Amino acid sequence: VPPVIQDAIKITITLGIRYLWVDAYCIVQDEKEDWTMESQTMHETYRSALLSIGVVGSSSRKGGIFQPRNGQEIGKSPRRRPHGILDTRGWTMQEQYLSPRVLSYAGGQLFWDC
């Protein structure tokens, strides 16, 4: 199990949330048929979620969510979700706008949007 998924499991358990939906495991990756079918109901998945976890600065699942804090960056980010590699992926827009709450991790900082 990649570190980013292990960290998401830790967050879910710590928050007392019973279920974790991971798109990389629930949608067959690189298979157009499965994506076409599953994408039809993604809006319901995100709207029904208690929250979405965003790993803003990680470029892969191998990096993990918990990163050392960068003291030079603290206070520079606006009060809303920070910008990072996650913003370059078009499919993440639905997570950001359809989820009722988003818990984002970036540069050792934690951001909460609702």
Side-chain angles (χ1 to χ4, degrees):
V1 176
V4 72
I5 304 300
Q6 291 178 26
D7 291 347
I9 292 168
K10 290 175 189 172
I11 293 166
T12 302
I13 290 170
T14 300
L15 293 174
I17 298 170
R18 189 172 180 180
Y19 299 102
L20 174 64
W21 184 86
V22 179
D23 62 357
Y25 291 152
C26 297
I27 299 174
V28 180
Q29 301 297 292
D30 299 322
E31 187 175 300
K32 190 173 181 173
E33 276 185 41
D34 194 54
W35 169 251
T36 301
M37 185 178 73
E38 295 297 331
S39 66
Q40 301 290 321
T41 60
M42 292 305 293
H43 64 286
E44 294 171 12
T45 300
Y46 290 111
R47 283 194 177 135
S48 299
L50 178 64
L51 62 89
S52 290
I53 298 171
V55 187
V56 179
S58 182
S59 60
S60 74
R61 295 185 302 160
K62 297 177 184 176
I65 293 175
F66 306 116
Q67 301 294 319
R69 190 174 231 189
N70 181 345
Q72 295 176 346
E73 294 298 318
I74 295 174
K76 289 185 179 179
S77 296
R79 294 183 61 109
R80 59 186 184 85
R81 199 182 68 77
H83 295 287
I85 191 83
L86 194 64
D87 297 305
T88 66
R89 300 175 181 146
W91 54 264
T92 63
M93 187 174 89
Q94 63 188 355
E95 294 175 10
Q96 296 169 22
Y97 291 103
L98 296 177
S99 297
R101 289 162 286 280
V102 180
L103 184 61
S104 300
Y105 290 82
Q109 297 183 71
L110 182 62
F111 297 83
W112 176 254
D113 293 302
C114 56

Short mmCIF file of all heavy atoms in Angstrom, two decimals, residues 21-87:
data_model
loop_
_atom_site.label_atom_id
_atom_site.label_comp_id
_atom_site.label_asym_id
_atom_site.label_seq_id
_atom_site.Cartn_x
_atom_site.Cartn_y
_atom_site.Cartn_z
N TRP A 21 -12.92 6.08 0.69
CA TRP A 21 -13.06 5.79 -0.73
C TRP A 21 -11.84 6.36 -1.43
O TRP A 21 -11.56 7.55 -1.33
CB TRP A 21 -14.35 6.43 -1.27
CG TRP A 21 -14.65 6.11 -2.69
CD1 TRP A 21 -15.33 5.02 -3.15
CD2 TRP A 21 -14.30 6.88 -3.84
NE1 TRP A 21 -15.42 5.07 -4.51
CE2 TRP A 21 -14.79 6.20 -4.97
CE3 TRP A 21 -13.62 8.07 -4.04
CZ2 TRP A 21 -14.63 6.67 -6.27
CZ3 TRP A 21 -13.45 8.54 -5.32
CH2 TRP A 21 -13.96 7.84 -6.42
N VAL A 22 -11.10 5.51 -2.12
CA VAL A 22 -9.90 5.92 -2.82
C VAL A 22 -10.12 5.70 -4.31
O VAL A 22 -10.27 4.55 -4.75
CB VAL A 22 -8.66 5.12 -2.34
CG1 VAL A 22 -7.40 5.53 -3.10
CG2 VAL A 22 -8.48 5.27 -0.84
N ASP A 23 -10.16 6.78 -5.07
CA ASP A 23 -10.46 6.63 -6.49
C ASP A 23 -9.47 5.73 -7.22
O ASP A 23 -9.84 4.99 -8.11
CB ASP A 23 -10.60 7.98 -7.18
CG ASP A 23 -9.35 8.83 -7.16
OD1 ASP A 23 -8.35 8.42 -6.54
OD2 ASP A 23 -9.37 9.91 -7.75
N ALA A 24 -8.20 5.77 -6.82
CA ALA A 24 -7.20 4.93 -7.47
C ALA A 24 -7.47 3.44 -7.29
O ALA A 24 -7.02 2.62 -8.08
CB ALA A 24 -5.81 5.26 -6.94
N TYR A 25 -8.22 3.09 -6.26
CA TYR A 25 -8.57 1.69 -6.02
C TYR A 25 -9.99 1.36 -6.47
O TYR A 25 -10.30 0.22 -6.75
CB TYR A 25 -8.43 1.34 -4.54
CG TYR A 25 -6.99 1.31 -4.06
CD1 TYR A 25 -6.68 1.58 -2.74
CD2 TYR A 25 -5.94 1.03 -4.92
CE1 TYR A 25 -5.38 1.55 -2.28
CE2 TYR A 25 -4.62 1.00 -4.47
CZ TYR A 25 -4.36 1.25 -3.15
OH TYR A 25 -3.06 1.22 -2.71
N CYS A 26 -10.85 2.36 -6.50
CA CYS A 26 -12.26 2.12 -6.83
C CYS A 26 -12.55 2.27 -8.32
O CYS A 26 -13.60 1.83 -8.79
CB CYS A 26 -13.15 3.05 -6.03
SG CYS A 26 -13.01 2.76 -4.25
N ILE A 27 -11.67 2.91 -9.04
CA ILE A 27 -11.82 3.05 -10.49
C ILE A 27 -10.60 2.39 -11.12
O ILE A 27 -9.46 2.70 -10.75
CB ILE A 27 -11.89 4.54 -10.91
CG1 ILE A 27 -13.09 5.21 -10.27
CG2 ILE A 27 -11.93 4.66 -12.44
CD1 ILE A 27 -13.16 6.71 -10.50
N VAL A 28 -10.83 1.49 -12.05
CA VAL A 28 -9.71 0.81 -12.71
C VAL A 28 -8.92 1.86 -13.48
O VAL A 28 -9.44 2.54 -14.37
CB VAL A 28 -10.22 -0.30 -13.66
CG1 VAL A 28 -9.05 -0.98 -14.34
CG2 VAL A 28 -11.06 -1.31 -12.89
N GLN A 29 -7.67 2.02 -13.10
CA GLN A 29 -6.82 3.05 -13.68
C GLN A 29 -6.44 2.70 -15.12
O GLN A 29 -6.18 1.55 -15.45
CB GLN A 29 -5.57 3.25 -12.83
CG GLN A 29 -5.88 3.64 -11.40
CD GLN A 29 -6.59 4.98 -11.29
OE1 GLN A 29 -6.02 6.01 -11.59
NE2 GLN A 29 -7.84 4.96 -10.88
N ASP A 30 -6.41 3.73 -15.96
CA ASP A 30 -6.02 3.59 -17.37
C ASP A 30 -6.94 2.67 -18.16
O ASP A 30 -6.53 2.08 -19.15
CB ASP A 30 -4.56 3.12 -17.49
CG ASP A 30 -3.60 4.10 -16.86
OD1 ASP A 30 -3.83 5.31 -16.99
OD2 ASP A 30 -2.63 3.65 -16.24
N GLU A 31 -8.18 2.54 -17.71
CA GLU A 31 -9.16 1.76 -18.47
C GLU A 31 -10.33 2.66 -18.80
O GLU A 31 -11.13 3.02 -17.94
CB GLU A 31 -9.63 0.55 -17.66
CG GLU A 31 -10.51 -0.37 -18.50
CD GLU A 31 -10.88 -1.63 -17.75
OE1 GLU A 31 -9.96 -2.39 -17.37
OE2 GLU A 31 -12.09 -1.84 -17.56
N LYS A 32 -10.42 3.05 -20.05
CA LYS A 32 -11.40 4.04 -20.50
C LYS A 32 -12.84 3.63 -20.20
O LYS A 32 -13.65 4.46 -19.79
CB LYS A 32 -11.22 4.32 -21.99
CG LYS A 32 -12.02 5.50 -22.48
CD LYS A 32 -11.68 5.86 -23.90
CE LYS A 32 -12.50 7.06 -24.31
NZ LYS A 32 -12.13 7.57 -25.60
N GLU A 33 -13.18 2.36 -20.40
CA GLU A 33 -14.55 1.89 -20.16
C GLU A 33 -14.97 2.11 -18.71
O GLU A 33 -16.06 2.60 -18.44
CB GLU A 33 -14.70 0.41 -20.51
CG GLU A 33 -14.97 0.15 -21.97
CD GLU A 33 -15.22 -1.32 -22.23
OE1 GLU A 33 -15.91 -1.98 -21.42
OE2 GLU A 33 -14.72 -1.81 -23.24
N ASP A 34 -14.11 1.71 -17.77
CA ASP A 34 -14.44 1.86 -16.36
C ASP A 34 -14.56 3.33 -15.99
O ASP A 34 -15.47 3.74 -15.27
CB ASP A 34 -13.42 1.16 -15.47
CG ASP A 34 -13.92 1.00 -14.05
OD1 ASP A 34 -15.02 0.44 -13.88
OD2 ASP A 34 -13.22 1.44 -13.12
N TRP A 35 -13.62 4.15 -16.47
CA TRP A 35 -13.67 5.59 -16.19
C TRP A 35 -14.95 6.21 -16.74
O TRP A 35 -15.61 6.98 -16.05
CB TRP A 35 -12.45 6.30 -16.77
CG TRP A 35 -12.62 7.79 -16.73
CD1 TRP A 35 -12.82 8.62 -17.79
CD2 TRP A 35 -12.69 8.62 -15.57
NE1 TRP A 35 -12.98 9.91 -17.35
CE2 TRP A 35 -12.90 9.94 -15.99
CE3 TRP A 35 -12.56 8.37 -14.21
CZ2 TRP A 35 -13.01 11.01 -15.11
CZ3 TRP A 35 -12.66 9.44 -13.33
CH2 TRP A 35 -12.88 10.73 -13.78
N THR A 36 -15.33 5.84 -17.96
CA THR A 36 -16.54 6.38 -18.56
C THR A 36 -17.77 6.04 -17.72
O THR A 36 -18.62 6.89 -17.47
CB THR A 36 -16.71 5.84 -20.01
OG1 THR A 36 -15.57 6.23 -20.76
CG2 THR A 36 -17.96 6.39 -20.66
N MET A 37 -17.83 4.80 -17.25
CA MET A 37 -18.97 4.37 -16.43
C MET A 37 -18.96 5.06 -15.05
O MET A 37 -19.96 5.62 -14.63
CB MET A 37 -18.93 2.85 -16.24
CG MET A 37 -20.14 2.31 -15.50
SD MET A 37 -20.10 0.52 -15.34
CE MET A 37 -18.82 0.32 -14.11
N GLU A 38 -17.83 5.04 -14.38
CA GLU A 38 -17.74 5.60 -13.03
C GLU A 38 -17.86 7.12 -13.01
O GLU A 38 -18.39 7.69 -12.06
CB GLU A 38 -16.44 5.16 -12.35
CG GLU A 38 -16.34 3.68 -12.10
CD GLU A 38 -17.40 3.17 -11.14
OE1 GLU A 38 -17.86 3.92 -10.27
OE2 GLU A 38 -17.77 1.98 -11.28
N SER A 39 -17.37 7.77 -14.03
CA SER A 39 -17.42 9.24 -14.05
C SER A 39 -18.85 9.77 -14.11
O SER A 39 -19.09 10.93 -13.76
CB SER A 39 -16.58 9.79 -15.21
OG SER A 39 -17.16 9.43 -16.45
N GLN A 40 -19.78 8.95 -14.52
CA GLN A 40 -21.18 9.36 -14.59
C GLN A 40 -21.76 9.68 -13.20
O GLN A 40 -22.71 10.46 -13.09
CB GLN A 40 -22.03 8.25 -15.23
CG GLN A 40 -21.60 7.87 -16.63
CD GLN A 40 -21.89 8.96 -17.64
OE1 GLN A 40 -22.92 9.61 -17.59
NE2 GLN A 40 -20.97 9.16 -18.56
N THR A 41 -21.21 9.06 -12.16
CA THR A 41 -21.76 9.24 -10.81
C THR A 41 -20.79 9.92 -9.84
O THR A 41 -21.05 9.97 -8.64
CB THR A 41 -22.20 7.88 -10.21
OG1 THR A 41 -21.04 7.02 -10.15
CG2 THR A 41 -23.28 7.24 -11.04
N MET A 42 -19.68 10.44 -10.35
CA MET A 42 -18.68 11.05 -9.48
C MET A 42 -19.26 12.24 -8.70
O MET A 42 -18.91 12.45 -7.55
CB MET A 42 -17.47 11.51 -10.28
CG MET A 42 -16.65 10.36 -10.83
SD MET A 42 -16.12 9.19 -9.58
CE MET A 42 -14.99 10.20 -8.67
N HIS A 43 -20.14 12.99 -9.31
CA HIS A 43 -20.73 14.13 -8.60
C HIS A 43 -21.47 13.66 -7.34
O HIS A 43 -21.41 14.30 -6.30
CB HIS A 43 -21.65 14.92 -9.52
CG HIS A 43 -22.85 14.17 -9.98
ND1 HIS A 43 -22.77 13.18 -10.94
CD2 HIS A 43 -24.14 14.25 -9.61
CE1 HIS A 43 -23.99 12.67 -11.14
NE2 HIS A 43 -24.83 13.31 -10.34
N GLU A 44 -22.12 12.51 -7.40
CA GLU A 44 -22.82 11.98 -6.23
C GLU A 44 -21.83 11.50 -5.18
O GLU A 44 -22.06 11.69 -3.98
CB GLU A 44 -23.73 10.82 -6.66
CG GLU A 44 -24.86 11.25 -7.56
CD GLU A 44 -25.62 10.06 -8.15
OE1 GLU A 44 -25.42 8.92 -7.68
OE2 GLU A 44 -26.40 10.29 -9.08
N THR A 45 -20.75 10.89 -5.63
CA THR A 45 -19.73 10.40 -4.70
C THR A 45 -19.17 11.55 -3.88
O THR A 45 -19.11 11.49 -2.65
CB THR A 45 -18.60 9.69 -5.47
OG1 THR A 45 -19.14 8.59 -6.19
CG2 THR A 45 -17.51 9.19 -4.53
N TYR A 46 -18.77 12.62 -4.54
CA TYR A 46 -18.16 13.74 -3.82
C TYR A 46 -19.18 14.51 -2.99
O TYR A 46 -18.88 14.91 -1.86
CB TYR A 46 -17.43 14.68 -4.78
CG TYR A 46 -16.19 14.02 -5.33
CD1 TYR A 46 -16.09 13.65 -6.65
CD2 TYR A 46 -15.11 13.72 -4.49
CE1 TYR A 46 -14.96 13.02 -7.14
CE2 TYR A 46 -13.99 13.09 -4.96
CZ TYR A 46 -13.91 12.74 -6.29
OH TYR A 46 -12.80 12.11 -6.76
N ARG A 47 -20.36 14.73 -3.49
CA ARG A 47 -21.37 15.45 -2.71
C ARG A 47 -21.80 14.69 -1.47
O ARG A 47 -22.18 15.28 -0.47
CB ARG A 47 -22.59 15.74 -3.58
CG ARG A 47 -22.35 16.90 -4.51
CD ARG A 47 -23.65 17.40 -5.09
NE ARG A 47 -23.36 18.56 -5.91
CZ ARG A 47 -23.86 18.76 -7.11
NH1 ARG A 47 -24.72 17.89 -7.63
NH2 ARG A 47 -23.55 19.82 -7.79
N SER A 48 -21.73 13.36 -1.51
CA SER A 48 -22.14 12.53 -0.38
C SER A 48 -21.03 12.30 0.63
O SER A 48 -21.27 11.77 1.70
CB SER A 48 -22.64 11.17 -0.89
OG SER A 48 -23.75 11.34 -1.73
N ALA A 49 -19.82 12.69 0.29
CA ALA A 49 -18.68 12.46 1.18
C ALA A 49 -18.73 13.37 2.40
O ALA A 49 -19.18 14.51 2.31
CB ALA A 49 -17.38 12.71 0.42
N LEU A 50 -18.28 12.86 3.53
CA LEU A 50 -18.13 13.70 4.71
C LEU A 50 -17.08 14.76 4.44
O LEU A 50 -17.26 15.93 4.74
CB LEU A 50 -17.74 12.85 5.92
CG LEU A 50 -17.53 13.61 7.22
CD1 LEU A 50 -18.84 14.25 7.67
CD2 LEU A 50 -17.00 12.68 8.30
N LEU A 51 -15.96 14.34 3.84
CA LEU A 51 -14.90 15.27 3.44
C LEU A 51 -14.02 14.60 2.41
O LEU A 51 -14.05 13.38 2.24
CB LEU A 51 -14.06 15.72 4.64
CG LEU A 51 -13.27 14.67 5.42
CD1 LEU A 51 -11.90 14.46 4.84
CD2 LEU A 51 -13.14 15.12 6.86
N SER A 52 -13.25 15.40 1.71
CA SER A 52 -12.23 14.90 0.78
C SER A 52 -10.88 15.31 1.32
O SER A 52 -10.72 16.38 1.90
CB SER A 52 -12.42 15.50 -0.61
OG SER A 52 -13.57 14.99 -1.22
N ILE A 53 -9.91 14.44 1.12
CA ILE A 53 -8.54 14.73 1.54
C ILE A 53 -7.74 15.10 0.30
O ILE A 53 -7.70 14.34 -0.67
CB ILE A 53 -7.90 13.51 2.24
CG1 ILE A 53 -8.69 13.15 3.50
CG2 ILE A 53 -6.44 13.79 2.57
CD1 ILE A 53 -8.26 11.83 4.13
N GLY A 54 -7.13 16.27 0.31
CA GLY A 54 -6.32 16.73 -0.81
C GLY A 54 -4.86 16.78 -0.43
O GLY A 54 -4.50 17.36 0.58
N VAL A 55 -4.04 16.14 -1.24
CA VAL A 55 -2.60 16.18 -1.03
C VAL A 55 -2.04 17.13 -2.08
O VAL A 55 -1.72 16.73 -3.19
CB VAL A 55 -1.97 14.77 -1.15
CG1 VAL A 55 -0.50 14.81 -0.74
CG2 VAL A 55 -2.74 13.78 -0.29
N VAL A 56 -1.97 18.38 -1.74
CA VAL A 56 -1.69 19.43 -2.71
C VAL A 56 -0.29 19.37 -3.27
O VAL A 56 -0.09 19.55 -4.46
CB VAL A 56 -1.96 20.82 -2.07
CG1 VAL A 56 -1.66 21.93 -3.06
CG2 VAL A 56 -3.39 20.90 -1.59
N GLY A 57 0.70 19.10 -2.45
CA GLY A 57 2.08 19.19 -2.91
C GLY A 57 2.72 17.91 -3.38
O GLY A 57 3.82 17.94 -3.88
N SER A 58 2.06 16.78 -3.24
CA SER A 58 2.69 15.51 -3.60
C SER A 58 2.50 15.23 -5.08
O SER A 58 1.40 15.35 -5.61
CB SER A 58 2.08 14.38 -2.78
OG SER A 58 2.70 13.16 -3.09
N SER A 59 3.56 14.81 -5.74
CA SER A 59 3.47 14.52 -7.17
C SER A 59 3.13 13.06 -7.45
O SER A 59 2.87 12.70 -8.58
CB SER A 59 4.78 14.89 -7.86
OG SER A 59 5.84 14.15 -7.31
N SER A 60 3.13 12.22 -6.42
CA SER A 60 2.79 10.82 -6.62
C SER A 60 2.27 10.21 -5.33
O SER A 60 2.38 10.80 -4.26
CB SER A 60 4.00 10.03 -7.10
OG SER A 60 4.91 9.83 -6.03
N ARG A 61 1.72 9.00 -5.44
CA ARG A 61 1.23 8.29 -4.26
C ARG A 61 2.38 7.82 -3.38
O ARG A 61 2.19 7.45 -2.25
CB ARG A 61 0.38 7.08 -4.67
CG ARG A 61 -0.87 7.47 -5.39
CD ARG A 61 -1.74 6.28 -5.67
NE ARG A 61 -1.01 5.29 -6.46
CZ ARG A 61 -1.36 4.02 -6.55
NH1 ARG A 61 -2.39 3.58 -5.89
NH2 ARG A 61 -0.66 3.18 -7.29
N LYS A 62 3.59 7.82 -3.90
CA LYS A 62 4.75 7.32 -3.17
C LYS A 62 5.24 8.29 -2.10
O LYS A 62 5.94 7.90 -1.19
CB LYS A 62 5.89 7.00 -4.13
CG LYS A 62 5.55 5.90 -5.11
CD LYS A 62 6.67 5.68 -6.09
CE LYS A 62 6.26 4.64 -7.11
NZ LYS A 62 7.28 4.46 -8.14
N GLY A 63 4.89 9.57 -2.23
CA GLY A 63 5.42 10.59 -1.34
C GLY A 63 4.81 10.65 0.04
O GLY A 63 5.44 11.10 0.97
N GLY A 64 3.60 10.22 0.20
CA GLY A 64 2.94 10.34 1.49
C GLY A 64 2.31 11.70 1.67
O GLY A 64 2.59 12.65 0.93
N ILE A 65 1.45 11.79 2.66
CA ILE A 65 0.74 13.05 2.94
C ILE A 65 1.53 13.92 3.90
O ILE A 65 1.65 15.12 3.71
CB ILE A 65 -0.66 12.75 3.51
CG1 ILE A 65 -1.53 12.09 2.44
CG2 ILE A 65 -1.31 14.04 4.02
CD1 ILE A 65 -2.90 11.64 2.92
N PHE A 66 2.07 13.32 4.94
CA PHE A 66 2.73 14.09 5.99
C PHE A 66 4.14 14.45 5.56
O PHE A 66 5.00 13.60 5.39
CB PHE A 66 2.74 13.29 7.29
CG PHE A 66 1.38 12.83 7.71
CD1 PHE A 66 1.08 11.48 7.78
CD2 PHE A 66 0.37 13.75 7.98
CE1 PHE A 66 -0.18 11.05 8.15
CE2 PHE A 66 -0.90 13.33 8.35
CZ PHE A 66 -1.18 11.97 8.43
N GLN A 67 4.37 15.74 5.38
CA GLN A 67 5.66 16.25 4.94
C GLN A 67 6.21 17.20 6.00
O GLN A 67 5.45 17.80 6.75
CB GLN A 67 5.51 17.00 3.61
CG GLN A 67 4.94 16.17 2.49
CD GLN A 67 5.88 15.05 2.09
OE1 GLN A 67 7.09 15.23 2.01
NE2 GLN A 67 5.32 13.87 1.84
N PRO A 68 7.53 17.35 6.05
CA PRO A 68 8.11 18.30 7.01
C PRO A 68 7.59 19.71 6.75
O PRO A 68 7.34 20.09 5.61
CB PRO A 68 9.61 18.23 6.74
CG PRO A 68 9.83 16.97 5.96
CD PRO A 68 8.53 16.68 5.25
N ARG A 69 7.45 20.46 7.80
CA ARG A 69 6.97 21.82 7.69
C ARG A 69 8.07 22.73 7.17
O ARG A 69 9.20 22.69 7.61
CB ARG A 69 6.51 22.28 9.07
CG ARG A 69 5.79 23.56 9.07
CD ARG A 69 5.28 23.82 10.46
NE ARG A 69 3.88 24.12 10.34
CZ ARG A 69 3.16 24.57 11.34
NH1 ARG A 69 3.68 24.70 12.52
NH2 ARG A 69 1.90 24.85 11.15
N ASN A 70 7.71 23.57 6.22
CA ASN A 70 8.64 24.55 5.66
C ASN A 70 8.36 25.89 6.33
O ASN A 70 7.41 26.58 5.98
CB ASN A 70 8.45 24.63 4.14
CG ASN A 70 9.41 25.60 3.49
OD1 ASN A 70 10.03 26.42 4.16
ND2 ASN A 70 9.53 25.51 2.19
N GLY A 71 9.20 26.26 7.27
CA GLY A 71 8.98 27.48 8.05
C GLY A 71 8.93 28.74 7.23
O GLY A 71 8.30 29.73 7.59
N GLN A 72 9.59 28.75 6.07
CA GLN A 72 9.60 29.94 5.23
C GLN A 72 8.26 30.15 4.52
O GLN A 72 7.95 31.25 4.10
CB GLN A 72 10.71 29.84 4.19
CG GLN A 72 12.08 29.84 4.82
CD GLN A 72 13.18 29.64 3.80
OE1 GLN A 72 12.92 29.24 2.67
NE2 GLN A 72 14.41 29.92 4.20
N GLU A 73 7.49 29.08 4.37
CA GLU A 73 6.22 29.17 3.65
C GLU A 73 5.03 29.45 4.57
O GLU A 73 3.97 29.83 4.11
CB GLU A 73 5.95 27.88 2.88
CG GLU A 73 6.95 27.65 1.76
CD GLU A 73 6.90 28.73 0.70
OE1 GLU A 73 5.80 29.17 0.32
OE2 GLU A 73 7.98 29.16 0.24
N ILE A 74 5.20 29.25 5.87
CA ILE A 74 4.10 29.44 6.80
C ILE A 74 3.64 30.89 6.79
O ILE A 74 4.43 31.82 6.86
CB ILE A 74 4.50 29.02 8.23
CG1 ILE A 74 4.78 27.51 8.23
CG2 ILE A 74 3.43 29.37 9.25
CD1 ILE A 74 5.33 26.97 9.51
N GLY A 75 2.36 31.07 6.64
CA GLY A 75 1.78 32.40 6.63
C GLY A 75 1.72 33.03 5.25
O GLY A 75 1.06 34.03 5.06
N LYS A 76 2.39 32.46 4.26
CA LYS A 76 2.38 33.02 2.92
C LYS A 76 1.15 32.59 2.12
O LYS A 76 0.74 33.27 1.21
CB LYS A 76 3.64 32.62 2.15
CG LYS A 76 4.89 33.30 2.65
CD LYS A 76 6.06 32.95 1.76
CE LYS A 76 7.32 33.65 2.24
NZ LYS A 76 8.46 33.31 1.39
N SER A 77 0.61 31.42 2.47
CA SER A 77 -0.55 30.92 1.72
C SER A 77 -1.80 31.68 2.13
O SER A 77 -1.96 32.04 3.29
CB SER A 77 -0.76 29.43 2.00
OG SER A 77 0.33 28.69 1.54
N PRO A 78 -2.70 31.92 1.19
CA PRO A 78 -3.95 32.57 1.53
C PRO A 78 -4.79 31.67 2.42
O PRO A 78 -4.49 30.49 2.57
CB PRO A 78 -4.62 32.78 0.17
CG PRO A 78 -4.01 31.78 -0.72
CD PRO A 78 -2.61 31.55 -0.21
N ARG A 79 -5.83 32.19 2.99
CA ARG A 79 -6.68 31.42 3.90
C ARG A 79 -7.40 30.28 3.20
O ARG A 79 -7.82 29.35 3.81
CB ARG A 79 -7.67 32.33 4.59
CG ARG A 79 -6.98 33.32 5.50
CD ARG A 79 -7.99 34.17 6.22
NE ARG A 79 -8.85 33.34 7.03
CZ ARG A 79 -8.84 33.29 8.34
NH1 ARG A 79 -8.01 34.03 9.00
NH2 ARG A 79 -9.67 32.53 8.99
N ARG A 80 -7.53 30.35 1.88
CA ARG A 80 -8.17 29.26 1.16
C ARG A 80 -7.13 28.19 0.82
O ARG A 80 -5.97 28.34 1.12
CB ARG A 80 -8.87 29.77 -0.09
CG ARG A 80 -7.96 30.46 -1.06
CD ARG A 80 -8.76 31.07 -2.20
NE ARG A 80 -7.89 31.63 -3.17
CZ ARG A 80 -7.32 30.96 -4.16
NH1 ARG A 80 -7.57 29.69 -4.29
NH2 ARG A 80 -6.52 31.55 -5.00
N ARG A 81 -7.56 27.15 0.16
CA ARG A 81 -6.67 26.04 -0.16
C ARG A 81 -5.47 26.51 -0.95
O ARG A 81 -5.59 27.27 -1.89
CB ARG A 81 -7.43 24.98 -0.97
CG ARG A 81 -6.76 23.63 -0.96
CD ARG A 81 -7.52 22.67 -1.80
NE ARG A 81 -7.45 23.01 -3.21
CZ ARG A 81 -6.42 22.79 -4.00
NH1 ARG A 81 -5.34 22.24 -3.53
NH2 ARG A 81 -6.45 23.13 -5.27
N PRO A 82 -4.27 26.02 -0.61
CA PRO A 82 -3.06 26.43 -1.32
C PRO A 82 -3.01 25.83 -2.71
O PRO A 82 -3.75 24.91 -3.04
CB PRO A 82 -1.95 25.85 -0.44
CG PRO A 82 -2.59 24.65 0.19
CD PRO A 82 -4.02 25.04 0.42
N HIS A 83 -2.12 26.37 -3.53
CA HIS A 83 -1.95 25.87 -4.89
C HIS A 83 -0.74 24.94 -4.95
O HIS A 83 0.23 25.14 -4.24
CB HIS A 83 -1.77 27.03 -5.87
CG HIS A 83 -2.99 27.88 -5.96
ND1 HIS A 83 -4.13 27.47 -6.60
CD2 HIS A 83 -3.25 29.11 -5.47
CE1 HIS A 83 -5.04 28.43 -6.50
NE2 HIS A 83 -4.53 29.43 -5.82
N GLY A 84 -0.83 23.93 -5.81
CA GLY A 84 0.27 22.98 -5.96
C GLY A 84 0.02 22.06 -7.13
O GLY A 84 -0.82 22.32 -7.99
N ILE A 85 0.74 20.96 -7.14
CA ILE A 85 0.66 19.99 -8.24
C ILE A 85 -0.77 19.47 -8.43
O ILE A 85 -1.17 19.16 -9.55
CB ILE A 85 1.65 18.82 -8.01
CG1 ILE A 85 1.78 17.95 -9.26
CG2 ILE A 85 1.25 17.96 -6.83
CD1 ILE A 85 2.74 18.50 -10.25
N LEU A 86 -1.53 19.39 -7.38
CA LEU A 86 -2.91 18.91 -7.46
C LEU A 86 -3.75 19.77 -8.40
O LEU A 86 -4.65 19.28 -9.08
CB LEU A 86 -3.54 18.90 -6.06
CG LEU A 86 -4.85 18.15 -5.89
CD1 LEU A 86 -4.65 16.65 -6.15
CD2 LEU A 86 -5.41 18.36 -4.50
N ASP A 87 -3.42 21.04 -8.48
CA ASP A 87 -4.18 21.96 -9.34
C ASP A 87 -3.92 21.74 -10.83
O ASP A 87 -4.62 22.28 -11.66
CB ASP A 87 -3.85 23.41 -8.99
CG ASP A 87 -4.28 23.72 -7.57
OD1 ASP A 87 -5.46 23.52 -7.26
OD2 ASP A 87 -3.42 24.16 -6.79
#
